[in-house]
Amino acid sequence: MASTIFAHRRDVDGLMSAAIFLMVEHSSGVFFVDYGESNMMEFLTQFSEASRSSRRIVIADFGLDDFYLQRVKKALMEAVSLGVEVYWLDHHNWSERALKEVEATGIHLVKAGDRDACGAELVYNVFGGSDPYSRLLAQIAHRTDYHLELNCVDRVLVDVVDYYNTLSPLDCNAEMASLARRVAEGILIDAKIYGDYLKYSELESEAVRSLL
């Protein structure tokens, strides 16, 4: 595996971060990650495995809490020692300590302020070149992440990502990875995506009916 990307699984920003990178590294491994102890342990295990098989690892739209700093720092240093090129692109709030210690590991840390750019925009800036479709995906991520006015495609993608996050972590990762690859190929909505959108719409309708 030439490269691996880890992106946040909870929103369209993470989805588009992965899709934009996949347009450059088509055969890249894709993992979607989340916060919390068990999720972070899974991320560190996957990261360690990727370090032994990838020449480049990208972490996108994923913040770092000081509670996990030392464990993450150790994993980053091990990857760098193996000759892996590691990029971490994020816009969430980090402590000064985390910024300083992660930068000291020798990885490429690209950090923006929370309202300055979303994760997908950072991935586009670093890897997207001037590709217009990559820019379009970054714009979709920007609108959804900053709660701006959404178009019909934006809303479908938001609901589909929310639907996948109702599944088990394993199934969610598989669905998100499959969706990211389809988006990278130029498919924003197809029969599968629209069908999953309808499933989520029904879940929402059931939740409303249960309150009546």
Side-chain angles (χ1 to χ4, degrees):
M1 186 185 304
S3 60
T4 302
I5 182 164
F6 294 90
H8 191 207
R9 81 180 195 208
R10 290 283 176 181
D11 56 26
V12 172
D13 191 16
L15 171 70
M16 295 310 184
S17 295
I20 292 168
F21 184 71
L22 284 168
M23 293 181 66
V24 179
E25 298 275 0
H26 308 288
S27 61
S28 176
V30 185
F31 296 95
F32 284 89
V33 294
D34 200 8
Y35 301 105
E37 180 70 21
S38 62
N39 291 314
M40 285 299 295
M41 293 305 97
E42 182 179 7
F43 162 64
L44 288 171
T45 297
Q46 293 170 337
F47 184 90
S48 179
E49 292 173 355
S51 297
R52 295 191 290 271
S53 59
S54 304
R55 60 173 176 77
R56 175 186 288 166
I57 296 175
V58 174
I59 306 166
D61 189 38
F62 195 55
L64 177 59
D65 189 288
D66 281 0
F67 183 77
Y68 304 105
L69 176 57
Q70 294 309 310
R71 284 176 281 182
V72 171
K73 179 181 171 182
K74 179 182 178 183
L76 295 174
M77 292 175 66
E78 288 175 352
V80 170
S81 72
L82 293 171
V84 182
E85 186 179 31
V86 181
Y87 286 80
W88 197 322
L89 305 95
D90 188 48
H91 67 114
H92 298 96
N93 293 322
W94 292 35
S95 70
E96 287 299 322
R97 176 190 174 199
L99 287 170
K100 188 174 298 184
E101 294 197 22
V102 168
E103 285 180 332
T105 65
I107 73 164
H108 304 280
L109 178 61
V110 180
K111 183 72 179 63
D114 185 42
R115 303 296 299 183
D116 295 334
C118 65
E121 289 175 302
L122 296 177
V123 176
Y124 170 72
N125 290 340
V126 175
F127 298 107
S130 58
D131 178 69
Y133 182 60
S134 293
R135 184 169 62 252
L136 173 67
L137 300 184
Q139 290 168 346
I140 292 173
H142 181 93
R143 288 194 297 272
T144 60
D145 221 43
Y146 295 126
H147 307 291
L148 304 178
E149 184 176 354
L150 305 182
N151 62 40
C152 56
V153 173
D154 299 341
R155 288 191 291 271
V156 168
L157 292 171
V158 167
D159 282 0
V160 169
V161 170
D162 284 347
Y163 172 63
Y164 292 158
N165 275 276
T166 68
L167 308 176
S168 70
L170 188 63
D171 289 341
C172 177
N173 184 76
E175 293 286 8
M176 289 287 289
S178 175
L179 179 56
R181 293 191 187 281
R182 293 210 298 287
V183 171
E185 292 170 359
I187 301 168
L188 290 173
I189 298 180
D190 60 9
K192 170 74 164 63
I193 295 168
Y194 189 66
D196 290 338
Y197 163 75
L198 293 178
K199 290 177 184 177
Y200 188 71
S201 296
E202 181 57 30
L203 287 178
E204 285 189 314
S205 297
E206 289 176 2
V208 170
R209 287 194 294 269
S210 70
L211 297 174
L212 299 178

